[in-house]
């Protein structure tokens, strides 16, 4: 049985993009929808951090925004129940290191949920001229890395005409042997 909205709780590390804290006018923050939720949002870009801080300001007792490098997260091991990654992995040259950091900060039994752009001709064209910090990924590469990190219950689905991959994985409970 799924919990009711207001019963959801736990510690979330929300993305590395402010999309997950809904800074756009008219959007609702997960903090508004889930009164018992505690959330930390991160981004590397100071302007994005500032925008997100304005969005979570009404929820300062339960939500915060920090500037952080996703490849070197400033959080303790096992701190978060859920990590959301919103179309940001392709912005990290070493996205494998980002996933390793996510695995580190997830508690045993914690869940990673995300989406990202797929390395296709159209997406490469859209990113033509971008900074060299952009490195698109292929679903098979992502699956290999999630398996290497021994995450379990890995689920992946391509959508939006094969341009986006949605993914989820679970950090095994202590003592559990990954399948």
């Amino acid at each position: 049985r799924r919990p009711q909205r207001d019963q959801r709780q736990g510690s979330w590390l929300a993305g590395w993009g402010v999309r997950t804290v809904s800074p756009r006018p008219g959007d609702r923050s997960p903090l508004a929808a889930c009164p018992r939720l505690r959330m930390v949002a991160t981004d590397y870009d100071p302007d994005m951090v500032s925008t997100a801080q304005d969005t979570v300001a009404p929820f300062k007792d339960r939500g915060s925004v920090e500037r952080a490098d996703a490849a070197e997260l400033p959080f303790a091991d096992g701190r978060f129940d859920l990590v959301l990654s919103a179309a940001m992995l392709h912005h990290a040259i070493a996205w494998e290191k980002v996933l390793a950091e996510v695995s580190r900060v997830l508690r045993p039994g914690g869940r990673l949920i995300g989406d990202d752009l797929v390395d296709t001709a159209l997406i490469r064209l859209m990113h033509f001229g971008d900074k060299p910090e952009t490195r698109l990924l292929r679903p098979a590469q992502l699956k290999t890395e999630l398996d290497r990190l021994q995450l379990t219950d890995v689920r992946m689905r391509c959508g939006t005409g094969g341009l986006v991959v949605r993914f989820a994985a679970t950090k095994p409970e202590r003592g559990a042997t990954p399948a």
Side-chain angles (χ1 to χ4, degrees):
R1 183 172 165 224
R2 286 184 74 169
Q4 296 297 316
R5 263 193 146 158
D6 61 351
Q7 293 175 332
R8 292 181 191 163
Q9 58 185 342
S11 295
W12 287 19
L13 174 62
W16 299 287
V18 294
R19 288 185 350 163
T20 54
V21 267
S22 306
R24 295 165 295 193
D27 281 356
R28 292 193 48 182
S29 167
L31 292 165
C34 305
R36 293 171 51 183
L37 174 70
R38 293 179 320 276
M39 182 172 77
V40 177
T42 66
D43 200 293
Y44 191 73
D45 182 316
D47 293 332
M48 297 294 274
V49 169
S50 178
T51 298
Q53 285 172 332
D54 292 343
T55 301
V56 302
F59 310 99
K60 64 182 174 215
D61 58 325
R62 299 182 293 117
S64 65
V65 182
E66 298 182 27
R67 184 171 186 264
D69 181 344
E72 296 179 20
L73 293 170
F75 306 111
D77 295 359
R79 162 128 184 237
F80 297 100
D81 300 305
L82 175 67
V83 174
L84 301 175
S85 173
M88 66 69 53
L89 289 175
H90 69 278
H91 291 289
I93 297 264
W95 54 259
E96 296 90 346
K97 186 172 180 187
V98 171
L99 289 173
E101 277 293 279
V102 165
S103 180
R104 181 184 67 76
V105 301
L106 273 173
R107 69 160 174 79
R111 193 93 170 126
L112 161 65
I113 300 173
D115 61 35
D116 216 302
L117 301 176
V118 174
D119 185 2
T120 63
L122 180 58
I123 297 296
R124 283 191 305 273
L125 181 62
M126 288 171 51
H127 282 283
F128 183 75
D130 276 2
K131 298 175 187 174
E133 292 86 26
T134 298
R135 183 175 148 230
L136 298 169
L137 56 95
R138 296 176 188 261
Q141 293 171 311
L142 178 60
K143 172 77 166 86
T144 297
E145 190 59 21
L146 295 172
D147 288 344
R148 188 189 71 74
L149 293 167
Q150 299 185 338
L151 298 176
T152 61
D153 194 23
V154 174
R155 297 174 190 214
M156 297 178 54
R157 181 172 51 95
C158 285
T160 317
L163 302 176
V164 173
V165 61
R166 293 177 179 88
F167 56 92
T170 301
K171 184 173 183 174
E173 297 285 347
R174 287 189 179 94
T177 307

